[in-house]
Amino acid sequence: MDDDQLSRVFAALAEPTRRDIVARLTVGDATVGQLAAPYDVSVQAVSKHLKVLEDAGLVSRSRDAQRRPCHLEAEVFDLMTKWIERYRRRAEERYRRLDTVLAEMDDEVDGATTTNRSNPRERGAP
Amino acid sequence: MDDDQLSRVFAALAEPTRRDIVARLTVGDATVGQLAAPYDVSVQAVSKHLKVLEDAGLVSRSRDAQRRPCHLEAEVFDLMTKWIERYRRRAEERYRRLDTVLAEMDDEVDGATTTNRSNPRERGAP
DNA sequence: TCCGTTCTCAACCATCTGGTTGAACACGAA
DNA sequence: TTCGTGTTCAACCAGATGGTTGAGAACGGA
């Protein structure tokens, strides 16, 4: 499923448990055991979740004796934010243009059949 | 894998093809056939992708004869943005606090007992 | 050294996912 | 009505995913 990092980040956060872990890590670093405690899944399962988060670049781990403290790498959020904002902006811009076009159309035509009014600047012919 | 809508949205965007489709839809509504054209997968595969996007609330479809024009529902982006911003803000805040604490500690102690101080100022506070 | 703790690796299992193909449905045009 | 186009449904397949259990690795402390 994953190709680039963006895919891995989205995929990593598509899991309530993992989002929960990320949320927990915003409070402070934590060991695997501490992170696993609230859930009734095995420690191994949480370890796997952490591997997913680590592969996505969302979490880094250091070493402290047997423990592996997990640390949130919040800059990765920017990757998503940038992608989202880029297209949201584009979409909003389009709606603005669309509104203008529709206003003009309403002046000239009394658009009875408006099923297709969603793509005004795109010729329908395939 | 999916529970809530947030999970579905993240999962939907964890796929390059689907992100591509979303990007394409910011330009304007499009039919399944139009969306499928650029890819060398079957129309059915794209139809499935659109179902995933629709279940996530990212896309809505109307009807135009045999065609099912797809429309981007960009407000759903806010769901993600809100989640991301919430925790990023919290994380940044924490780094700020951590820096303060560490500065104080550097004054008094030569860091012995602190399990957590792994590598605090790697990603310097903004 | 051996012991207990923390964590990961390996094997396994059930389910989900993204792709395929072929058939069927929905509709406009002839 | 019949035909062609656009789309979805159904069955299937290979591979990923999230969970389990059991064994083992890494380490501090006795």
Side-chain angles (χ1 to χ4, degrees), chain A residues 13 18-30 35 50 53-54 57-61 69-77, chain B residues 83-84 86-92 94-95 118-120 122-123:
Chain A
L13 294 179
R18 285 195 293 258
R19 281 201 306 279
D20 226 47
I21 290 175
V22 167
R24 162 66 179 78
L25 286 175
T26 60
V27 176
D29 296 4
L35 291 171
L50 286 167
L53 290 169
E54 192 177 24
L58 277 160
V59 156
S60 64
R61 281 126 127 190
C70 299
H71 176 82
L72 184 67
E73 298 291 338
E75 322 82 64
V76 184
F77 284 174
Chain B
W83 190 91
I84 295 167
R86 174 176 174 186
Y87 292 112
R88 189 172 59 166
R89 204 167 0 251
R90 200 193 278 184
E92 278 165 3
R94 189 200 150 225
Y95 296 148
S118 33
N119 36 13
E122 242 172 31
R123 95 221 72 282

Side-chain angles (χ1 to χ4, degrees), chain A residues 88-103:
Chain A
R88 190 173 57 167
R89 204 169 359 251
R90 201 192 279 185
E92 278 166 4
E93 198 177 300
R94 188 198 153 228
Y95 294 147
R96 234 175 293 123
R97 274 190 283 114
L98 182 57
D99 280 345
T100 312
V101 170
L102 287 176

Side-chain angles (χ1 to χ4, degrees), chain B residues 73-101:
Chain B
E73 298 290 337
E75 322 83 65
V76 183
F77 284 173
D78 295 345
L79 247 180
M80 285 186 295
T81 306
K82 273 195 187 108
W83 190 91
I84 295 167
E85 282 307 308
R86 174 176 174 186
Y87 292 112
R88 189 172 59 166
R89 204 167 0 251
R90 200 193 278 184
E92 278 165 3
E93 199 178 298
R94 189 200 150 225
Y95 296 148
R96 236 175 291 122
R97 273 190 285 113
L98 183 59
D99 279 344
T100 313
V101 170

Side-chain angles (χ1 to χ4, degrees), chain A residues 1-124:
Chain A
M1 186 200 262
D2 320 354
D3 226 339
D4 45 332
Q5 186 180 15
L6 194 49
S7 295
R8 286 195 297 270
V9 175
F10 277 125
L13 294 179
E15 242 282 347
T17 308
R18 285 195 293 258
R19 281 201 306 279
D20 226 47
I21 290 175
V22 167
R24 162 66 179 78
L25 286 175
T26 60
V27 176
D29 296 4
T31 68
V32 178
Q34 289 170 335
L35 291 171
Y39 311 102
D40 58 353
V41 300
S42 63
V43 177
Q44 289 96 319
V46 173
S47 183
K48 278 191 185 182
H49 280 312
L50 286 167
K51 179 150 185 27
V52 174
L53 290 169
E54 192 177 24
D55 288 346
L58 277 160
V59 156
S60 64
R61 281 126 127 190
S62 48
R63 188 164 261 298
D64 168 33
Q66 319 97 55
R67 268 148 262 129
R68 306 291 314 273
C70 299
H71 176 82
L72 184 67
E73 298 291 338
E75 322 82 64
V76 184
F77 284 174
D78 294 345
L79 247 180
M80 286 185 295
T81 307
K82 274 194 188 109
W83 189 91
I84 295 167
E85 282 308 308
R86 175 175 173 188
Y87 291 113
R88 190 173 57 167
R89 204 169 359 251
R90 201 192 279 185
E92 278 166 4
E93 198 177 300
R94 188 198 153 228
Y95 294 147
R96 234 175 293 123
R97 274 190 283 114
L98 182 57
D99 280 345
T100 312
V101 170
L102 287 176
E104 287 169 358
M105 273 170 47
D106 284 348
D107 276 359
E108 307 162 1
V109 184
D110 49 326
T113 60
T114 47
T115 32
N116 208 9
R117 50 183 267 170
S118 28
N119 45 3
R121 54 189 62 232
E122 227 162 18
R123 77 276 190 273

